[in-house]
């Protein structure tokens, strides 16, 4: 998909190559090509349209009587604009409170449990003392999975498999974390295969009772337009504080990163780049922009 987008952009830029100035006509033509390429890469229409409108305005307003070619200028404008669309700057976690409570939400298979482990590992390496709370009351395998990850990274896990009450488990976990002087408590929650009212009610109840400082929504970047719809549904209900895009190591579409930020207006904070505990990166809008544009 990236290749596809890049090929098309390359072709679009060829139109401009060798031309001494950017005119209304050749910019409009190029924007059409770019919009098509973005749509093909699964960026939603509204995002693609506002992006190209913005780039067009900047391109026409820019002083092109400089040493750079129009193609280069447009590439720079697009890079800056794409990065701005994805938040502009790195957005860090709010870790001021002790203990910081972080709630993890998302659909089954998104990579929630894996990310929960990765985040604990990331924070531990930064000198924090995290505790993981296994809040998936529906899948015993998820509790086992978290316990295995915890052991692997040397981070304790609070679980209570006798309980089916996500709020109770979360509160017990927090109490345990306070007792053990953990300064970050990360609560994994139960997902579902698709958006589900009961799931939303449960996570909303956990949010209500634990008052988390961060609610991170985890989503599989490979699900394209669905990722955007899922993000919207979760944000409408939970008003989350950040997005984690997983599986960006695969044959992933760039569209999700671009659209999610503009649709829910929440920062992407991390990206998952593999199954291993180390395969986690802070989200850099600039890098992602370059990656999308090639
Ligand atoms: P959950 O149901 O949301 O808790 O999802 P899991 O954490 O169990 O992840 C589902 C699958 O995706 C597992 O096989 C993970 O190893 C895999 N996975 C999670 N994150 C990534 C990632 O960033 N890249 C890749 N390639 N696989 C991932």
């Amino acid at each position: 998909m990236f290749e596809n987008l890049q090929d098309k952009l390359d072709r679009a830029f060829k139109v401009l190559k060798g031309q001494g100035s950017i005119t209304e006509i050749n910019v409009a033509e190029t924007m059409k090509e770019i919009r098509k390429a973005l749509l093909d890469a699964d960026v939603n229409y509204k995002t693609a349209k506002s992006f190209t409108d913005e780039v067009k305005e900047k391109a026409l307003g820019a002083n092109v009587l400089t040493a750079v070619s129009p193609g280069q200028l447009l590439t720079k404008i697009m890079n800056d604009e794409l990065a701005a669309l994805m938040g502009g700057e790195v957005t860090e976690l709010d870790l001021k409170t002790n203990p910081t409570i972080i709630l993890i939400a998302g659909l089954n298979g998104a990579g929630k449990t894996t990310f929960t482990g990765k985040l604990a590992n990331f924070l531990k390496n930064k000198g924090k003392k995290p505790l993981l709370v296994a809040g998936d009351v529906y899948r015993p395998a998820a509790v086992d999975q978290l316990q295995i990850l915890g052991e692997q990274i040397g981070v304790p896990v609070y679980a209570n498999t006798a309980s089916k009450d996500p709020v109770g488990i979360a509160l017990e976990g927090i109490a345990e974390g306070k007792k053990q002087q953990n300064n970050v408590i990360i609560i994994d929650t139960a997902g579902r295969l698709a958006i589900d009212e009961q799931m939303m009610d449960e996570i909303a109840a956990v949010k209500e009772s634990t008052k988390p400082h961060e609610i991170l929504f985890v989503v599989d970047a490979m699900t394209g337009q669905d990722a955007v719809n899922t993000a919207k549904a979760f944000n409408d209900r939970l008003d989350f504080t950040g997005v984690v895009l997983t599986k960006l190591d695969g044959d992933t579409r760039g569209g999700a990163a671009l659209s999610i930020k503009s649709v829910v207006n929440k920062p992407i904070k991390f990206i998952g780049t593999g199954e291993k505990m180390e395969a986690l990166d802070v989200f850099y809008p600039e890098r992602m922009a370059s990656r999308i544009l090639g």
Side-chain angles (χ1 to χ4, degrees):
M1 255 312 172
F2 276 147
E3 259 104 42
N4 200 5
L5 175 58
Q6 282 169 23
D7 287 350
K8 289 200 171 190
L9 290 177
D10 278 348
R11 222 177 314 127
F13 284 130
K14 270 193 196 123
V15 177
L16 289 177
K17 266 208 183 122
Q19 296 186 27
S21 65
I22 294 178
T23 69
E24 176 97 42
I25 292 169
N26 61 31
V27 168
E29 272 301 306
T30 307
M31 288 308 128
K32 220 170 100 188
E33 271 298 305
I34 291 166
R35 188 151 60 232
K36 252 181 12 208
L38 291 173
L39 291 173
D40 282 352
D42 234 0
V43 174
N44 68 9
Y45 183 79
K46 234 175 94 191
T47 307
K49 175 88 171 67
S50 63
F51 172 69
T52 47
D53 284 352
E54 192 75 17
V55 169
K56 184 179 159 190
E57 207 163 288
K58 291 233 163 106
L60 288 170
N63 179 12
V64 293
L65 296 174
T66 57
V68 292
S69 72
Q72 276 172 337
L73 178 59
L74 202 51
T75 308
K76 178 165 183 346
I77 292 171
M78 284 185 48
N79 231 310
D80 292 351
E81 207 53 44
L82 262 186
L85 201 65
M86 292 187 288
E89 316 230 309
V90 171
T91 314
E92 294 192 359
L93 289 179
D94 174 7
L95 298 168
K96 287 190 294 291
T97 319
N98 185 6
T100 299
I101 315 269
I102 304 177
L103 192 61
I104 311 294
L107 295 180
N108 279 347
K112 243 187 324 6
T113 305
T114 307
F115 169 71
T116 304
K118 285 178 181 178
L119 180 62
N121 189 45
F122 173 88
L123 293 172
K124 187 186 168 201
N125 290 339
K126 281 186 169 296
K128 292 283 181 184
K129 195 179 166 220
L131 171 76
L132 295 172
V133 180
D136 189 339
V137 294
Y138 296 101
R139 292 192 313 138
V143 178
D144 295 344
Q145 188 187 344
L146 201 63
Q147 272 165 335
I148 290 166
L149 293 178
E151 230 162 82
Q152 200 182 314
I153 58 176
V155 168
V157 176
Y158 178 82
N160 177 359
T161 46
S163 169
K164 290 282 173 229
D165 167 23
V167 171
I169 294 171
L171 292 175
E172 287 162 24
I174 291 171
E176 175 68 17
K178 284 181 176 164
K179 207 164 89 193
Q180 303 296 336
Q181 299 190 322
N182 295 105
N183 47 21
V184 185
I185 299 169
I186 309 170
I187 306 169
D188 192 15
T189 59
R192 297 292 189 281
L193 286 174
I195 294 297
D196 177 291
E197 271 312 301
Q198 195 197 9
M199 167 188 69
M200 290 295 186
D201 289 346
E202 276 166 19
I203 306 175
V206 174
K207 174 187 173 180
E208 188 60 34
S209 57
T210 61
K211 308 261 183 295
H213 307 96
E214 290 274 357
I215 302 175
L216 299 179
F217 164 69
V218 181
V219 64
D220 180 343
M222 293 177 81
T223 56
Q225 195 54 46
D226 275 348
V228 181
N229 299 334
T230 311
K232 190 169 180 332
F234 271 87
N235 191 51
D236 285 350
R237 192 64 199 272
L238 295 175
D239 191 19
F240 54 66
T241 59
V243 178
V244 179
L245 268 184
T246 64
K247 310 187 192 182
L248 273 165
D249 50 313
D251 180 19
T252 327
R253 298 160 185 229
L258 205 60
S259 309
I260 287 179
K261 171 67 172 68
S262 72
V263 170
V264 299
N265 197 27
K266 292 289 168 67
I268 299 168
K269 294 196 173 177
F270 291 98
I271 61 170
T273 56
E275 301 194 60
K276 296 218 167 73
M277 285 296 96
E278 296 73 33
L280 181 73
D281 279 325
V282 167
F283 179 76
Y284 292 98
E286 285 275 354
R287 280 188 207 166
M288 189 59 121
S290 313
R291 178 174 163 171
I292 290 172
L293 292 176

